[in-house]
């Protein structure tokens, strides 16, 4: 299973890097929109939607994407949406959700009830993630650095937790995760950032703000992972889908990224250090 996971991850990473650096914005947008719609189908499954309900949810996601792209086209500035009133509303909703609602949701073990609530949560989880991928793609190194935080945190958390894990983080949600794994991730990510700063000095990041940023992303990656796990628990499934060998579905692969990439986009859109 580990070999299959590693092989799938290596193939996906290679394809991602190639697409990120080589595809024009239009084709990149089509690619990430396709990923979004597959994730939307999987979210509909976790929300217990019927086939028609899943189609309607994906249609609303596509409509949201279209509205954002239409606004950007009309504004004459391809990346101006994030600073518009609608963009601030969308990213503000993501901020409130991931910093406040999702941790409380996990702490009190809330169950998603009602199609409207689960649809709204899915919209807040998926649409800002999609736009962050579009917003950061013209500067692909930034997007890779932000994704790297999640990948390093996930890898360090897995191996440290497997070797030293004794205290369960949230056994009712994800029995394999431990506090030792979280501490391993929090220790590994700053080392990763130091290496990135040495190898890519052109980022010019202020150490304090950058370390605070990657620490926040690390914690959010854990929240994103746990939140999707809790949604799966609610419907009694192990994976959100079967598309990716060894990983499950698209949501299983992007769960942490849905929580972190909107904050990466905000960090670069409103820099404290002029990065």
């Amino acid at each position: 299973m580990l070999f299959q996971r590693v092989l799938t991850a290596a193939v996906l990473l290679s394809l991602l890097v190639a697409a990120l650096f080589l595809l024009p914005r239009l084709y990149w947008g089509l690619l990430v929109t396709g990923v979004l719609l597959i994730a939307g189908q999987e979210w509909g499954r976790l929300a217990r939607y019927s086939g028609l309900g899943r189609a309607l949810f994906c249609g609303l996601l596509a409509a949201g994407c279209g509205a954002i792209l239409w606004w950007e086209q009309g504004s004459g500035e391809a990346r101006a949406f994030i600073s518009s009133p609608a963009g601030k509303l969308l990213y503000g909703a993501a901020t409130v959700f991931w910093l406040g609602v999702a941790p409380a949701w996990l702490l009190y073990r809330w169950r998603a009830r009602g199609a409207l609530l689960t649809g709204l949560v899915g919209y807040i989880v998926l649409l800002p993630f999609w736009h962050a991928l579009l917003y950061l793609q013209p500067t692909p190194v930034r997007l890779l650095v932000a994704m790297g935080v999640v990948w390093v945190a996930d890898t360090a958390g897995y191996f440290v937790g497997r070797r030293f894990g004794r205290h369960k983080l949230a056994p009712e949600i994800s029995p394999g995760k431990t506090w030792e794994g979280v501490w391993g991730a929090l220790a590994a990510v700053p080392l990763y950032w130091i290496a990135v700063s040495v190898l890519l000095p052109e980022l010019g990041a202020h150490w304090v703000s950058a370390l605070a940023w990657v620490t926040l992303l690390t914690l959010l990656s854990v929240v994103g992972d746990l939140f999707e796990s809790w949604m799966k628990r609610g419907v009694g499934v192990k994976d959100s889908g079967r598309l990716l060998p060894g990983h499950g579905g698209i949501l299983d692969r992007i769960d942490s990224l849905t929580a972190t990439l909107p904050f990466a986009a905000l960090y670069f859109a409103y820099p404290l250090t002029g990065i």
Side-chain angles (χ1 to χ4, degrees):
M1 178 63 75
L2 179 59
F3 174 77
Q4 190 178 50
R5 285 178 61 88
V6 171
L7 180 61
T8 300
V11 171
L12 289 175
L13 180 59
S14 300
L15 293 175
L16 170 67
V17 172
L20 184 57
F21 282 90
L22 298 178
L23 288 182
R25 179 178 172 82
L26 172 62
Y27 295 109
W28 172 258
L30 292 174
L31 175 64
V32 298
T33 301
V35 171
L36 175 76
L37 294 180
I38 295 172
Q41 282 283 341
E42 294 177 357
W43 181 271
R45 180 187 176 208
L46 299 184
R48 298 180 186 271
Y49 290 163
S50 65
L52 178 60
R54 290 196 293 272
L56 177 60
F57 178 67
C58 287
L60 291 173
L61 280 176
C65 296
I68 291 171
L69 294 175
W70 176 83
W71 189 95
E72 289 186 340
Q73 186 69 24
S75 73
E77 297 182 32
R79 295 193 293 161
F81 173 77
I82 197 170
S83 59
S84 71
K88 291 176 180 177
L89 178 62
L90 181 65
Y91 278 85
T95 300
V96 170
F97 180 78
W98 288 117
L99 293 183
V101 176
W105 196 310
L106 295 171
L107 180 63
Y108 294 107
R109 307 292 192 269
W110 294 339
R111 296 286 186 181
R113 301 184 187 280
L116 182 60
L117 174 61
T118 50
L120 178 61
V121 170
Y123 221 74
I124 293 172
V125 167
L126 294 173
L127 198 59
F129 159 76
W130 169 84
H131 185 264
L133 286 172
L134 283 186
Y135 176 76
L136 293 170
Q137 189 257 349
T139 50
V141 171
R142 291 178 173 179
L143 180 54
L144 282 179
V145 166
M147 287 181 161
V149 171
V150 173
W151 298 332
V152 169
D154 185 58
T155 303
Y158 174 79
F159 284 106
V160 172
R162 187 174 181 181
R163 175 64 179 85
F164 301 104
R166 298 292 184 274
H167 302 88
K168 298 296 184 181
L169 175 63
E172 295 179 22
I173 301 175
S174 184
K177 287 187 169 48
T178 64
W179 281 105
E180 288 81 1
V182 174
W183 291 115
L186 287 171
V189 168
L191 297 178
Y192 158 77
W193 177 253
I194 291 171
V196 166
S197 299
V198 172
L199 294 172
L200 300 171
E202 63 270 19
L203 286 178
H206 186 277
W207 283 89
V208 174
S209 65
L211 286 175
W213 173 60
V214 296
T215 299
L216 174 63
L217 293 190
T218 303
L219 295 173
L220 286 169
S221 73
V222 176
V223 173
D225 190 343
L226 289 176
F227 185 76
E228 198 238 350
S229 294
W230 183 239
M231 291 295 293
K232 289 188 293 186
R233 287 275 175 181
V235 294
V237 297
K238 182 179 182 295
D239 298 316
S240 64
R242 299 179 180 177
L243 183 63
L244 305 175
H247 291 268
I250 291 292
L251 278 177
D252 296 314
R253 192 62 270 159
I254 67 170
D255 49 9
S256 294
L257 293 173
T258 58
T260 55
L261 287 190
F263 289 87
L266 288 173
Y267 181 80
F268 291 120
Y270 302 99
L272 298 177
T273 58
I275 297 177

